[in-house]
Amino acid sequence: MKKLFILLILSSVFFYSCKKDKKEIPTNATKLEFTSLAAEDTTLAINEYTKIHAIATGDELQYKWTFSGGAIVGSGKDVEWSVCHSDIFTISCEVVDKYDNKVSKSIKIYAK
């Protein structure tokens, strides 16, 4: 009987520790929406740059930028991107709110 009791306690601890903590979203939270991702220019000459703007709504947003080549300068919803060789590039932005909800968008920019 004692072994069964110890086994039940250990299993409870194991299952409780494996539960993932999910941030509870209050009813008055602003829903995360990623409305737009746009570049001023989508065709660039080598060594030119373009401004890229993300439009999103939600609570305490963070913007995470990734790109297949070139360089991004800045952070937040507005960045500048430039490239030093010709190709077709993908620039992506992931928006994360304070509840760990994530939404992403990508655009293509041509450098010639």
Side-chain angles (χ1 to χ4, degrees):
M1 184 70 164
K2 192 174 186 179
K3 288 182 182 180
L4 180 63
F5 180 72
I6 291 172
L7 182 61
L8 284 173
I9 290 176
L10 289 175
S11 349
S12 300
V13 169
F14 174 75
F15 286 116
Y16 180 75
S17 66
C18 289
K19 283 174 63 176
K20 186 175 181 178
D21 287 337
K22 177 103 172 132
K23 293 182 181 179
E24 198 167 309
I25 302 173
T27 55
N28 65 343
T30 304
K31 181 181 177 194
L32 174 61
E33 289 188 50
F34 196 162
T35 310
S36 171
L37 180 64
E40 278 185 351
D41 297 307
T42 55
T43 303
L44 299 177
I46 294 173
N47 295 323
E48 284 188 336
Y49 72 92
T50 187
K51 293 180 181 180
I52 303 174
H53 181 67
I55 299 174
T57 57
D59 294 330
E60 297 179 28
L61 301 180
Q62 295 179 18
Y63 298 82
K64 299 178 181 180
W65 294 91
T66 57
F67 44 96
S68 61
I72 284 189
V73 176
S75 62
K77 62 183 179 178
D78 295 301
V79 296
E80 291 184 352
W81 179 82
S82 66
V83 68
C84 61
H85 64 89
S86 2
D87 207 341
I88 300 171
F89 298 92
T90 302
I91 293 88
S92 300
C93 181
E94 180 182 68
V95 180
V96 182
D97 69 8
K98 76 177 191 177
Y99 309 107
D100 292 327
N101 296 309
K102 299 174 184 177
V103 183
S104 62
K105 288 190 178 288
S106 297
I107 57 172
K108 299 258 186 219
I109 297 181
Y110 306 90
K112 55 182 180 171

